[in-house]
Amino acid sequence: MNRCILHIDLDAFFVSVEQALAPGLRGKPVVVGGRPDRRGVVASASYEARVFGIRAGMPLAQAYRLCSQAIFLQGSFPVYRDASERFMAILADFSPCLEPAGLDEAYLDITGCEAYGTPHQLASHIKERVKKEIKLIASVGMAGCKVVAKIASDLGKPDGLVEVAAGQEKEFLAPLPVINLPGVGKRTEQELKAMGIKTIGQLAALPPEAIKNRLGAAGVIIHRYANGIDDRQVELTGEAKSISRETTFAEDTLDRTFLQAILRYLCERVGAELRQESKHARTITLKLRYADFETITRRISSKETTDADEAIFAGAVTLLDQALARKRKLVRLIGVGVSNLVGYGKQLHLLDSRPQRLAHLDRAIDRIRNKYGFTSIQTGRTLLLKDIFATREGDFMLETTSLSR
Ligand code: TTP
Ligand code: MG
Protein backbone atom coordinates (compact mmCIF):
# COMPACT_ATOMS: atom_id res chain seq x y z
CA MET A 1 0.00 0.00 0.00
CA ASN A 2 1.26 3.49 -0.82
CA ARG A 3 2.02 5.48 2.28
CA CYS A 4 0.25 8.79 2.78
CA ILE A 5 2.05 11.25 5.01
CA LEU A 6 0.98 14.76 5.93
CA HIS A 7 3.35 17.45 7.12
CA ILE A 8 1.51 20.20 8.92
CA ASP A 9 3.22 23.47 9.88
CA LEU A 10 1.54 26.54 11.35
CA ASP A 11 2.02 29.82 9.52
CA ALA A 12 4.02 32.50 11.34
CA PHE A 13 3.36 30.60 14.56
CA PHE A 14 4.41 32.95 17.39
CA VAL A 15 3.03 35.98 15.57
CA SER A 16 -0.24 34.24 14.71
CA VAL A 17 -0.80 33.33 18.36
CA GLU A 18 -0.35 37.00 19.26
CA GLN A 19 -2.81 37.95 16.49
CA ALA A 20 -5.33 35.40 17.73
CA LEU A 21 -5.11 37.00 21.19
CA ALA A 22 -5.25 40.56 19.86
CA PRO A 23 -7.12 40.60 16.55
CA GLY A 24 -6.15 44.25 16.07
CA LEU A 25 -2.70 42.93 15.07
CA ARG A 26 -4.09 40.98 12.12
CA GLY A 27 -3.03 42.05 8.64
CA LYS A 28 -0.15 44.14 10.03
CA PRO A 29 3.60 43.73 9.95
CA VAL A 30 4.26 42.10 13.32
CA VAL A 31 7.52 40.74 14.70
CA VAL A 32 7.98 38.55 17.78
CA GLY A 33 11.44 38.61 19.30
CA GLY A 34 11.68 41.74 21.38
CA ARG A 35 12.03 45.48 21.18
CA PRO A 36 14.01 46.70 18.19
CA ASP A 37 16.29 48.83 20.38
CA ARG A 38 17.41 45.70 22.19
CA ARG A 39 19.71 43.07 20.90
CA GLY A 40 18.23 39.78 19.86
CA VAL A 41 16.76 38.33 16.76
CA VAL A 42 13.44 37.94 15.03
CA ALA A 43 11.80 34.69 16.15
CA SER A 44 8.73 34.99 13.95
CA ALA A 45 7.54 37.55 11.42
CA SER A 46 4.05 37.96 10.00
CA TYR A 47 3.74 37.54 6.24
CA GLU A 48 3.00 41.27 6.04
CA ALA A 49 6.39 41.90 7.70
CA ARG A 50 8.08 39.45 5.33
CA VAL A 51 7.05 41.64 2.39
CA PHE A 52 9.63 44.13 3.74
CA GLY A 53 12.32 41.44 3.77
CA ILE A 54 12.08 40.65 7.50
CA ARG A 55 12.98 37.03 8.26
CA ALA A 56 13.39 34.78 11.31
CA GLY A 57 16.91 34.88 12.70
CA MET A 58 17.56 38.46 11.55
CA PRO A 59 18.78 40.98 14.16
CA LEU A 60 15.87 43.06 15.46
CA ALA A 61 17.65 46.30 14.60
CA GLN A 62 17.91 45.23 10.97
CA ALA A 63 14.21 44.30 10.95
CA TYR A 64 13.43 47.78 12.28
CA ARG A 65 15.50 49.38 9.51
CA LEU A 66 13.54 47.39 6.93
CA CYS A 67 10.15 48.31 8.37
CA SER A 68 10.05 50.89 11.16
CA GLN A 69 6.24 50.77 11.36
CA ALA A 70 6.28 47.05 12.22
CA ILE A 71 4.89 46.12 15.64
CA PHE A 72 7.59 44.49 17.75
CA LEU A 73 6.45 42.14 20.52
CA GLN A 74 8.41 40.48 23.30
CA GLY A 75 6.49 37.21 23.07
CA SER A 76 5.59 34.75 25.76
CA PHE A 77 6.78 31.19 25.53
CA PRO A 78 4.23 29.55 27.90
CA VAL A 79 1.39 30.90 25.72
CA TYR A 80 3.01 29.38 22.62
CA ARG A 81 3.50 26.08 24.38
CA ASP A 82 -0.21 25.93 25.25
CA ALA A 83 -1.14 26.67 21.65
CA SER A 84 1.27 23.96 20.51
CA GLU A 85 -0.32 21.41 22.83
CA ARG A 86 -3.79 22.24 21.53
CA PHE A 87 -2.54 21.98 17.95
CA MET A 88 -1.04 18.53 18.55
CA ALA A 89 -4.24 17.39 20.28
CA ILE A 90 -6.26 18.27 17.16
CA LEU A 91 -3.84 16.33 14.94
CA ALA A 92 -3.98 13.32 17.24
CA ASP A 93 -7.71 13.09 16.51
CA PHE A 94 -6.93 12.29 12.87
CA SER A 95 -4.38 9.53 13.31
CA PRO A 96 -2.54 7.94 16.22
CA CYS A 97 0.57 7.95 14.09
CA LEU A 98 1.69 11.48 14.97
CA GLU A 99 5.24 12.77 15.23
CA PRO A 100 5.71 16.33 16.50
CA ALA A 101 8.76 17.81 14.77
CA GLY A 102 8.83 21.09 16.68
CA LEU A 103 6.38 23.32 18.49
CA ASP A 104 4.36 24.13 15.39
CA GLU A 105 4.96 21.24 13.03
CA ALA A 106 4.24 17.55 12.87
CA TYR A 107 4.08 14.56 10.59
CA LEU A 108 0.93 12.51 10.48
CA ASP A 109 0.73 9.13 8.77
CA ILE A 110 -2.82 8.70 7.48
CA THR A 111 -2.17 5.56 5.42
CA GLY A 112 -5.25 3.36 5.66
CA CYS A 113 -7.57 6.16 6.79
CA GLU A 114 -9.51 6.12 3.49
CA ALA A 115 -12.73 5.30 5.30
CA TYR A 116 -12.65 8.82 6.78
CA GLY A 117 -12.13 10.59 3.45
CA THR A 118 -9.50 11.22 0.81
CA PRO A 119 -6.15 12.62 2.00
CA HIS A 120 -7.21 15.94 0.54
CA GLN A 121 -10.44 15.94 2.54
CA LEU A 122 -8.63 14.98 5.75
CA ALA A 123 -6.07 17.74 5.21
CA SER A 124 -8.83 20.30 4.61
CA HIS A 125 -10.61 19.11 7.72
CA ILE A 126 -7.43 19.53 9.80
CA LYS A 127 -7.01 23.07 8.48
CA GLU A 128 -10.61 23.91 9.34
CA ARG A 129 -10.38 22.59 12.87
CA VAL A 130 -7.09 24.39 13.53
CA LYS A 131 -8.62 27.61 12.28
CA LYS A 132 -11.85 27.24 14.22
CA GLU A 133 -10.47 25.92 17.49
CA ILE A 134 -7.17 27.72 17.92
CA LYS A 135 -7.57 30.51 15.36
CA LEU A 136 -4.35 29.62 13.55
CA ILE A 137 -3.59 28.82 9.94
CA ALA A 138 -1.91 25.53 9.09
CA SER A 139 -0.14 24.74 5.85
CA VAL A 140 -0.27 21.09 4.85
CA GLY A 141 1.83 19.02 2.48
CA MET A 142 0.77 15.52 1.42
CA ALA A 143 3.03 12.91 -0.14
CA GLY A 144 4.23 9.34 0.06
CA CYS A 145 7.24 10.21 2.23
CA LYS A 146 8.25 12.70 4.92
CA VAL A 147 10.72 14.79 3.00
CA VAL A 148 8.38 15.47 0.07
CA ALA A 149 5.46 16.21 2.42
CA LYS A 150 7.62 18.74 4.28
CA ILE A 151 8.79 20.48 1.13
CA ALA A 152 5.17 20.56 -0.10
CA SER A 153 3.88 22.21 3.08
CA ASP A 154 6.67 24.82 2.87
CA LEU A 155 5.95 25.55 -0.74
CA GLY A 156 2.26 26.19 -0.21
CA LYS A 157 2.74 28.75 2.59
CA PRO A 158 0.85 30.69 3.69
CA ASP A 159 -2.45 28.81 4.03
CA GLY A 160 -1.19 26.03 1.76
CA LEU A 161 -2.53 22.63 0.86
CA VAL A 162 -0.25 20.88 -1.59
CA GLU A 163 -0.60 17.27 -2.65
CA VAL A 164 2.13 15.39 -4.49
CA ALA A 165 0.68 12.34 -6.19
CA ALA A 166 2.46 8.99 -5.95
CA GLY A 167 5.05 8.71 -8.71
CA GLN A 168 5.22 12.49 -9.20
CA GLU A 169 7.79 13.18 -6.48
CA LYS A 170 10.80 13.66 -8.77
CA GLU A 171 8.94 15.97 -11.14
CA PHE A 172 7.62 17.98 -8.24
CA LEU A 173 11.07 18.44 -6.69
CA ALA A 174 13.11 18.91 -9.89
CA PRO A 175 12.63 22.66 -10.52
CA LEU A 176 13.08 23.71 -6.87
CA PRO A 177 16.35 25.23 -5.61
CA VAL A 178 18.51 22.85 -3.56
CA ILE A 179 18.10 25.05 -0.45
CA ASN A 180 14.49 23.78 -0.23
CA LEU A 181 15.80 20.31 0.66
CA PRO A 182 15.94 19.61 4.40
CA GLY A 183 19.58 19.01 5.27
CA VAL A 184 20.89 21.54 2.77
CA GLY A 185 22.12 24.65 4.56
CA LYS A 186 23.99 27.65 3.23
CA ARG A 187 27.33 25.79 3.22
CA THR A 188 26.05 22.76 1.33
CA GLU A 189 24.25 25.10 -1.06
CA GLN A 190 27.62 26.75 -1.80
CA GLU A 191 29.36 23.38 -2.24
CA LEU A 192 26.69 22.29 -4.68
CA LYS A 193 26.87 25.59 -6.53
CA ALA A 194 30.59 25.05 -6.96
CA MET A 195 29.68 21.76 -8.65
CA GLY A 196 27.27 23.62 -10.94
CA ILE A 197 24.21 22.27 -9.11
CA LYS A 198 21.40 24.71 -8.42
CA THR A 199 18.17 22.73 -8.60
CA ILE A 200 17.03 19.57 -6.87
CA GLY A 201 16.59 18.00 -10.31
CA GLN A 202 20.27 18.60 -11.15
CA LEU A 203 21.26 17.09 -7.81
CA ALA A 204 19.02 14.05 -8.38
CA ALA A 205 20.62 13.42 -11.78
CA LEU A 206 24.19 13.26 -10.39
CA PRO A 207 25.76 9.83 -10.00
CA PRO A 208 25.51 8.97 -6.26
CA GLU A 209 29.33 8.50 -6.01
CA ALA A 210 29.97 12.05 -7.18
CA ILE A 211 27.94 13.53 -4.35
CA LYS A 212 29.27 11.00 -1.83
CA ASN A 213 32.88 11.90 -2.65
CA ARG A 214 32.15 15.55 -2.18
CA LEU A 215 29.79 15.59 0.81
CA GLY A 216 30.19 12.19 2.47
CA ALA A 217 27.31 10.38 4.18
CA ALA A 218 25.19 13.54 4.36
CA GLY A 219 25.51 13.77 0.57
CA VAL A 220 24.08 10.29 0.15
CA ILE A 221 21.00 11.26 2.16
CA ILE A 222 20.30 14.51 0.31
CA HIS A 223 20.81 12.72 -3.00
CA ARG A 224 18.15 10.19 -2.01
CA TYR A 225 15.85 12.99 -0.88
CA ALA A 226 16.41 14.77 -4.20
CA ASN A 227 15.14 11.61 -5.88
CA GLY A 228 12.06 11.60 -3.68
CA ILE A 229 13.32 8.61 -1.69
CA ASP A 230 12.84 8.72 2.07
CA ASP A 231 12.07 5.56 4.05
CA ARG A 232 11.86 7.26 7.42
CA GLN A 233 8.77 6.25 9.36
CA VAL A 234 6.56 8.66 11.21
CA GLU A 235 7.87 8.02 14.72
CA LEU A 236 5.07 7.58 17.18
CA THR A 237 7.04 8.68 20.18
CA GLY A 238 7.52 12.29 19.29
CA GLU A 239 9.65 12.55 22.39
CA ALA A 240 12.18 15.31 22.75
CA LYS A 241 15.69 14.34 21.66
CA SER A 242 17.27 17.51 22.90
CA ILE A 243 16.23 20.63 24.75
CA SER A 244 18.07 23.93 24.63
CA ARG A 245 17.80 27.57 25.55
CA GLU A 246 19.93 30.47 24.49
CA THR A 247 19.91 34.19 24.82
CA THR A 248 21.56 37.13 23.11
CA PHE A 249 22.76 39.89 25.43
CA ALA A 250 21.72 43.50 25.22
CA GLU A 251 25.46 44.28 25.29
CA ASP A 252 28.43 42.03 24.62
CA THR A 253 30.03 41.05 27.89
CA LEU A 254 32.96 39.34 29.51
CA ASP A 255 31.62 39.68 33.05
CA ARG A 256 32.07 36.18 34.42
CA THR A 257 29.59 36.56 37.29
CA PHE A 258 26.93 37.88 34.96
CA LEU A 259 27.57 35.13 32.43
CA GLN A 260 27.29 32.54 35.18
CA ALA A 261 24.03 34.06 36.43
CA ILE A 262 22.48 33.98 32.98
CA LEU A 263 23.79 30.47 32.46
CA ARG A 264 22.21 29.38 35.73
CA TYR A 265 18.90 30.90 34.63
CA LEU A 266 19.05 29.08 31.27
CA CYS A 267 19.97 25.81 33.01
CA GLU A 268 16.93 26.17 35.26
CA ARG A 269 14.77 26.73 32.20
CA VAL A 270 16.20 23.67 30.47
CA GLY A 271 15.92 21.61 33.67
CA ALA A 272 12.25 22.53 34.08
CA GLU A 273 11.57 21.55 30.47
CA LEU A 274 13.42 18.27 30.93
CA ARG A 275 11.38 17.40 34.01
CA GLN A 276 8.20 18.30 32.22
CA GLU A 277 9.16 15.81 29.50
CA SER A 278 9.92 13.24 32.24
CA LYS A 279 13.44 12.80 30.89
CA HIS A 280 16.99 12.59 32.13
CA ALA A 281 19.98 13.75 30.09
CA ARG A 282 23.46 12.34 29.63
CA THR A 283 25.00 15.17 27.65
CA ILE A 284 25.24 18.87 28.43
CA THR A 285 26.22 21.37 25.75
CA LEU A 286 27.36 24.96 26.09
CA LYS A 287 27.11 27.35 23.18
CA LEU A 288 28.89 30.68 22.99
CA ARG A 289 28.79 33.24 20.25
CA TYR A 290 31.46 35.91 20.46
CA ALA A 291 31.09 39.54 19.43
CA ASP A 292 32.72 38.71 16.07
CA PHE A 293 30.05 36.01 15.56
CA GLU A 294 32.48 33.14 15.97
CA THR A 295 30.35 30.42 17.54
CA ILE A 296 31.58 27.49 19.57
CA THR A 297 29.82 24.54 21.16
CA ARG A 298 31.38 22.38 23.84
CA ARG A 299 29.82 19.33 25.42
CA ILE A 300 30.33 16.87 28.22
CA SER A 301 28.69 13.52 28.68
CA SER A 302 28.56 11.29 31.67
CA LYS A 303 27.44 7.75 32.38
CA GLU A 304 25.07 9.08 34.98
CA THR A 305 21.95 10.80 33.81
CA THR A 306 20.35 13.79 35.44
CA ASP A 307 17.41 16.18 35.35
CA ALA A 308 18.68 18.38 38.18
CA ASP A 309 19.24 22.09 37.63
CA GLU A 310 22.36 21.96 39.75
CA ALA A 311 23.93 19.12 37.78
CA ILE A 312 23.15 20.75 34.43
CA PHE A 313 24.61 23.99 35.71
CA ALA A 314 27.69 22.27 37.14
CA GLY A 315 28.44 20.78 33.73
CA ALA A 316 27.68 23.95 31.80
CA VAL A 317 29.69 26.23 34.10
CA THR A 318 32.73 23.97 33.85
CA LEU A 319 32.52 24.28 30.07
CA LEU A 320 32.06 28.04 30.38
CA ASP A 321 35.10 28.43 32.62
CA GLN A 322 37.22 26.40 30.21
CA ALA A 323 36.02 28.47 27.26
CA LEU A 324 36.67 31.77 29.05
CA ALA A 325 40.13 30.64 30.08
CA ARG A 326 40.94 29.79 26.46
CA LYS A 327 39.60 32.93 24.80
CA ARG A 328 39.24 36.46 26.15
CA LYS A 329 36.69 37.68 23.69
CA LEU A 330 33.46 39.52 24.39
CA VAL A 331 30.45 37.19 24.42
CA ARG A 332 27.32 38.02 22.47
CA LEU A 333 25.18 34.94 23.06
CA ILE A 334 25.15 32.10 25.52
CA GLY A 335 23.13 28.90 25.36
CA VAL A 336 22.83 25.59 27.10
CA GLY A 337 21.37 22.33 25.85
CA VAL A 338 20.83 18.79 27.03
CA SER A 339 20.70 15.75 24.77
CA ASN A 340 21.09 12.00 24.84
CA LEU A 341 17.83 11.89 26.74
CA VAL A 342 16.45 8.80 28.42
CA GLY A 343 13.09 8.13 30.03
CA TYR A 344 12.88 7.82 33.80
CA GLY A 345 12.58 4.07 33.53
CA LYS A 346 16.09 3.78 32.15
CA GLN A 347 17.89 6.13 34.46
CA LEU A 348 20.85 4.91 36.40
CA HIS A 349 19.55 6.07 39.68
CA LEU A 350 21.86 7.58 42.19
CA LEU A 351 21.20 6.32 45.64
CA ASP A 352 23.03 9.04 47.39
CA SER A 353 20.62 11.26 49.27
CA ARG A 354 21.77 14.65 47.99
CA PRO A 355 20.51 14.18 44.42
CA GLN A 356 17.24 12.90 45.89
CA ARG A 357 16.89 16.03 47.97
CA LEU A 358 17.74 18.20 44.99
CA ALA A 359 15.17 16.38 42.89
CA HIS A 360 12.52 17.18 45.48
CA LEU A 361 13.63 20.79 45.61
CA ASP A 362 13.56 21.15 41.80
CA ARG A 363 10.07 19.73 41.68
CA ALA A 364 8.80 21.95 44.47
CA ILE A 365 10.21 24.96 42.62
CA ASP A 366 8.61 23.74 39.36
CA ARG A 367 5.20 23.61 41.05
CA ILE A 368 5.49 27.16 42.36
CA ARG A 369 6.77 28.46 39.03
CA ASN A 370 3.98 26.76 37.13
CA LYS A 371 1.53 28.55 39.36
CA TYR A 372 3.09 31.98 39.79
CA GLY A 373 5.44 32.32 36.81
CA PHE A 374 9.05 31.40 36.30
CA THR A 375 10.51 34.51 37.88
CA SER A 376 8.45 34.13 41.06
CA ILE A 377 11.40 32.22 42.52
CA GLN A 378 15.01 33.11 42.08
CA THR A 379 17.84 30.91 43.16
CA GLY A 380 21.12 32.16 44.60
CA ARG A 381 23.05 32.96 41.46
CA THR A 382 20.15 34.38 39.49
CA LEU A 383 19.47 36.97 42.21
CA LEU A 384 21.96 39.08 40.31
CA LEU A 385 19.37 39.21 37.52
CA LYS A 386 16.64 40.53 39.82
CA ASP A 387 16.71 44.00 38.29
CA ILE A 388 16.61 42.62 34.78
CA PHE A 389 13.63 40.44 35.67
CA ALA A 390 11.90 43.46 37.16
CA THR A 391 12.34 45.64 34.09
CA ARG A 392 10.63 43.29 31.69
CA GLU A 393 7.14 41.97 31.76
CA GLY A 394 6.72 38.23 32.15
CA ASP A 395 9.57 36.28 30.74
CA PHE A 396 12.63 38.43 31.10
CA MET A 397 13.71 37.89 27.58
CA LEU A 398 12.60 35.73 24.79
CA GLU A 399 15.15 33.01 24.77
CA THR A 400 15.29 30.97 21.64
CA THR A 401 14.02 27.68 22.83
CA SER A 402 14.24 24.51 20.95
CA LEU A 403 12.88 21.14 21.62
CA SER A 404 14.30 18.99 18.87
CA ARG A 405 12.47 15.81 18.25
P1 TTP B 1 8.81 28.19 11.82
O1 TTP B 1 7.70 27.22 11.51
O2 TTP B 1 10.13 27.99 11.17
O3 TTP B 1 8.36 29.68 11.45
P2 TTP B 1 6.95 30.38 11.54
O4 TTP B 1 5.90 29.44 12.02
O5 TTP B 1 7.09 31.65 12.31
O6 TTP B 1 6.67 30.79 10.03
P3 TTP B 1 6.29 29.84 8.79
O7 TTP B 1 6.21 28.45 9.28
O8 TTP B 1 4.97 30.36 8.32
O9 TTP B 1 7.37 30.06 7.79
O10 TTP B 1 9.06 28.22 13.37
C1 TTP B 1 7.99 28.09 14.31
C2 TTP B 1 8.21 29.01 15.48
O11 TTP B 1 9.44 28.72 16.11
C3 TTP B 1 8.25 30.47 15.11
O12 TTP B 1 6.96 31.08 15.06
C4 TTP B 1 9.09 31.04 16.19
C5 TTP B 1 10.01 29.92 16.62
N1 TTP B 1 11.36 30.18 16.05
C6 TTP B 1 12.32 30.78 16.84
O13 TTP B 1 12.09 31.04 18.03
N2 TTP B 1 13.54 31.05 16.28
C7 TTP B 1 13.83 30.79 14.97
O14 TTP B 1 14.95 31.07 14.50
C8 TTP B 1 12.82 30.16 14.16
C9 TTP B 1 13.09 29.83 12.71
C10 TTP B 1 11.61 29.88 14.74
MG1 MG C 1 5.63 27.53 11.15
Side-chain angles (χ1 to χ4, degrees):
M1 192 197 299
N2 282 336
R3 291 197 298 162
C4 183
I5 293 170
L6 306 187
H7 180 261
I8 307 112
D9 187 299
L10 297 172
D11 293 346
F13 177 47
F14 287 7
V15 163
S16 304
V17 173
E18 299 293 344
Q19 289 171 326
L21 292 171
L25 295 173
R26 290 219 176 104
K28 297 189 175 149
V30 178
V31 169
V32 169
R35 281 173 34 186
D37 58 344
R38 304 237 187 230
R39 280 268 286 275
V41 294
V42 174
S44 178
S46 68
Y47 280 78
E48 291 79 5
R50 292 184 206 189
V51 172
F52 294 88
I54 297 178
R55 295 286 180 272
M58 175 182 279
L60 290 164
Q62 189 184 347
Y64 182 76
R65 281 197 299 276
L66 288 170
C67 178
S68 60
Q69 71 272 33
I71 299 160
F72 289 83
L73 303 173
Q74 183 73 58
S76 165
F77 191 69
V79 177
Y80 307 143
R81 188 167 54 211
D82 287 351
S84 170
E85 282 169 7
R86 295 183 62 195
F87 169 57
M88 297 298 170
I90 293 173
L91 299 183
D93 280 347
F94 287 83
S95 164
C97 197
L98 167 70
E99 178 185 335
L103 276 179
D104 81 328
E105 66 175 298
Y107 293 95
L108 198 63
D109 190 333
I110 56 162
T111 313
C113 296
E114 293 78 14
Y116 304 99
T118 62
H120 198 279
Q121 285 168 334
L122 286 177
S124 304
H125 195 184
I126 289 174
K127 283 168 67 76
E128 279 162 27
R129 278 198 55 191
V130 168
K131 193 169 182 177
K132 188 155 168 253
E133 294 173 30
I134 53 173
K135 315 236 168 333
L136 299 176
I137 305 293
S139 286
V140 184
M142 281 171 274
C145 65
K146 280 170 129 178
V147 70
V148 178
K150 180 165 170 73
I151 293 171
S153 77
D154 256 3
L155 211 66
K157 275 178 176 294
D159 202 5
L161 203 178
V162 175
E163 183 170 9
V164 183
Q168 298 297 307
E169 294 83 0
K170 276 183 77 162
E171 288 75 5
F172 166 75
L173 296 175
L176 303 174
V178 287
I179 194 82
N180 283 33
L181 267 186
V184 175
K186 285 260 172 277
R187 268 225 325 256
T188 310
E189 185 189 27
Q190 287 310 318
E191 288 260 3
L192 290 169
K193 200 168 160 198
M195 296 167 75
I197 305 293
K198 288 192 183 136
T199 65
I200 298 182
Q202 291 171 326
L203 172 60
L206 277 184
E209 303 74 51
I211 188 80
K212 189 175 177 188
N213 291 342
R214 189 88 181 213
L215 298 173
V220 177
I221 294 175
I222 61 166
H223 185 260
R224 284 170 63 83
Y225 286 176
N227 280 286
I229 303 168
D230 177 9
D231 303 327
R232 288 174 303 157
Q233 300 293 316
V234 173
E235 305 274 353
L236 287 179
T237 54
E239 291 176 341
K241 294 197 176 94
S242 69
I243 296 169
S244 63
R245 279 248 171 178
E246 63 185 44
T247 193
T248 303
F249 301 122
E251 274 171 37
D252 300 332
T253 180
L254 243 181
D255 180 338
R256 194 160 161 267
T257 319
F258 177 70
L259 284 168
Q260 287 185 348
I262 294 277
L263 187 62
R264 172 77 203 193
Y265 169 79
L266 295 172
C267 288
E268 289 177 16
R269 283 285 191 183
V270 165
E273 204 77 57
L274 194 56
R275 291 185 292 278
Q276 178 154 330
E277 293 275 329
S278 303
K279 291 285 170 99
H280 272 214
R282 273 186 216 287
T283 302
I284 297 159
T285 304
L286 174 84
K287 174 174 170 184
L288 290 180
R289 177 165 298 143
Y290 296 102
D292 60 3
F293 279 82
E294 185 197 351
T295 307
I296 61 159
T297 54
R298 299 283 178 266
R299 65 193 63 207
I300 39 171
S301 295
S302 113
K303 261 204 293 201
E304 281 155 10
T305 66
T306 186
D307 69 352
D309 292 349
E310 187 172 284
I312 299 169
F313 178 69
V317 83
T318 306
L319 294 170
L320 175 66
D321 286 344
Q322 288 168 357
L324 293 180
R326 221 165 283 146
K327 253 184 207 143
R328 302 287 306 162
K329 277 208 288 191
L330 286 168
V331 177
R332 174 186 167 85
L333 168 152
I334 189 167
V336 64
V338 291
S339 54
N340 243 323
L341 308 187
V342 293
Y344 280 154
K346 292 186 209 150
Q347 75 187 304
L348 302 171
H349 208 63
L350 303 169
L351 292 171
D352 145 14
S353 65
R354 184 168 156 76
Q356 297 271 8
R357 274 207 322 275
L358 284 176
H360 285 303
L361 180 62
D362 282 342
R363 278 169 180 74
I365 293 178
D366 288 345
R367 279 194 295 278
I368 296 170
R369 282 178 165 167
N370 284 338
K371 202 159 167 193
Y372 299 105
F374 198 87
T375 53
S376 60
I377 288 198
Q378 278 148 47
T379 56
R381 276 179 203 271
T382 62
L383 272 178
L384 185 73
L385 308 176
K386 202 163 79 252
D387 294 340
I388 305 179
F389 285 140
T391 57
R392 314 258 177 116
E393 286 172 12
D395 248 357
F396 98 97
M397 17 174 122
L398 182 89
E399 306 89 4
T400 317
T401 298
S402 55
L403 223 72
S404 315
R405 294 174 194 270

